[in-house]
Amino acid sequence: MEQTQDLSEDRLANAWAELHALSTDSTPLRADANRLAFADPEFLLRRETRGLRIQLEMLKPEIDQQAQGIENTIVVFGSARFPAPEQAEAALKLAQEGDDEAALTLAQRHVRNAQYYDQARLFARIVAGYSNPRPAHEQLFICTGGGPGIMEAANRGAQEMGALTVGLNIVLPHEQGSNPYISPSLNFKFHYFALRKMHFMMRAKALLAFPGGFGTLDELFEVITLVQTRKAKPVPIILFGTEYWKRLFNFDVMIEEGAISPRDLDLIQYVDEPQAAWDAIKNFYEL
């Protein structure tokens, strides 16, 4: 039976050693020897071949998602640092048994923010429950950055409903690692942020942003700018957690200074319940 290769994240780095092992006379193959270009990892990792790597990073997720019927997505962003409620409660119990005030304060904050994990999970369940019985071209799939926290929660909710769910992960020195709830065949890993951003938007029919940090703000304002400048079609841009977002942003200052127009604020809307977020999407598309 034909088997597909299970590529690990260090596969490319080890490819050179594997090619050595495959040499018929055990002689190391020179970088400029008689090798096919696409089987030459040293060549593919050169600065001059960056354009090829960018093309491949664009093409691979595109082909795989097309093959699996992923046409329309709802992209969910949010902090990678908000734990699941069960994890937060366990950490709080442990902190209460100790005498570290800083650890207790952190654990209490995690418990407070874990509500967003539950709400992202419930939102994804609502979306999957709507989409599962519908024909492929009407289905909406949850897509996240593939990491922990809010991203994990959204992938988890969709997976619990038996739906395919997409993760667009990226190699980072900390925090980011694929959560276990992404559909394995839709668990992509990127090196280039720009290509990852493009894949977020290519199929997105809505953006739901939970409270988050720099990464969440980066993606949020990218989408707002694309829609504002009409480089992308209008989509619902929903901020979950009114208190958080209104404490963080004072858009009135931008209006007062003429940096944006009052109608630009119509691009975003605030919600505080998973059902309200789904209703906003349903109303926009008249589902």
Side-chain angles (χ1 to χ4, degrees):
M1 182 177 66
E2 183 180 355
Q3 294 182 344
T4 58
Q5 291 183 332
D6 181 15
L7 300 181
S8 63
E9 62 184 54
D10 60 350
R11 177 80 179 190
L12 188 59
N14 292 337
W16 175 238
E18 292 175 1
L19 286 170
H20 286 186
L22 291 173
S23 177
T24 54
D25 59 1
S26 298
T27 302
L29 301 174
R30 296 186 351 224
D32 60 347
N34 185 23
R35 263 187 290 159
L36 295 171
F38 57 77
D40 185 343
E42 287 192 349
F43 172 72
L44 288 176
L45 291 173
R46 290 175 64 94
R47 179 176 181 178
E48 296 89 338
T49 57
R50 180 179 295 149
L52 298 176
R53 297 195 300 274
I54 288 173
Q55 290 180 55
L56 292 171
E57 200 155 275
M58 178 68 192
L59 191 59
K60 180 182 176 181
E62 172 70 9
I63 291 174
D64 285 354
Q65 289 183 85
Q66 282 185 352
Q68 295 174 72
I70 308 298
E71 298 181 16
N72 307 301
T73 61
I74 295 178
V75 178
V76 180
F77 291 127
S79 177
R81 305 184 185 191
F82 291 176
E86 61 270 21
Q87 295 171 331
E89 290 292 345
L92 178 61
K93 182 179 179 181
L94 189 63
Q96 289 172 334
E97 294 172 354
D99 57 2
D100 187 335
E101 285 297 322
L104 180 59
T105 299
L106 178 62
Q108 291 170 335
R109 188 176 71 205
H110 280 328
V111 169
R112 182 175 73 249
N113 287 331
Q115 62 168 318
Y116 293 117
Y117 184 106
D118 259 351
Q119 290 164 334
R121 182 178 174 185
L122 178 55
F123 171 78
R125 291 178 64 91
I126 293 171
V127 174
Y130 166 86
S131 294
N132 282 345
R134 282 166 170 73
H137 69 279
E138 294 182 6
Q139 290 182 332
L140 293 161
F141 298 93
I142 293 295
C143 175
T144 78
I150 296 300
M151 296 172 282
E152 175 186 296
N155 289 131
R156 181 177 180 179
Q159 189 237 45
E160 288 169 340
M161 297 295 289
L164 290 174
T165 181
V166 184
L168 305 182
N169 221 300
I170 191 160
V171 178
L172 294 176
H174 60 86
E175 288 183 4
Q176 194 76 354
S178 296
N179 70 67
Y181 302 103
I182 305 165
S183 299
S185 59
L186 294 167
N187 186 5
F188 302 105
K189 181 170 286 187
F190 290 82
H191 174 74
Y192 298 104
F193 265 109
L195 273 297
R196 181 177 182 242
K197 290 171 182 286
M198 188 172 293
H199 274 289
F200 274 130
M201 285 303 297
M202 285 172 63
R203 292 171 170 80
K205 294 298 181 284
L207 167 70
L208 178 60
F210 282 80
F214 289 155
T216 301
L217 298 183
D218 175 44
E219 303 293 354
L220 171 62
F221 279 102
E222 180 112 30
V223 175
I224 293 174
T225 303
L226 287 171
V227 174
Q228 180 204 40
T229 57
R230 301 183 182 179
K231 288 291 185 179
K233 292 181 179 180
V235 297
I237 302 172
I238 304 165
L239 303 184
F240 195 105
T242 304
E243 181 185 1
Y244 177 87
W245 291 113
K246 291 200 171 180
R247 278 196 301 143
L248 186 62
F249 299 141
N250 186 351
F251 288 120
D252 290 338
V253 172
M254 301 173 75
I255 294 172
E256 290 169 6
E257 296 298 330
I260 62 174
S261 67
R263 67 176 178 274
D264 286 334
L265 294 188
D266 294 338
L267 298 175
I268 61 177
Q269 52 189 308
Y270 300 89
V271 300
D272 293 294
E273 297 293 338
Q275 186 62 50
W278 173 238
D279 288 343
I281 296 169
K282 282 201 308 178
N283 293 337
F284 185 91
Y285 290 107
E286 298 180 348
L287 299 179

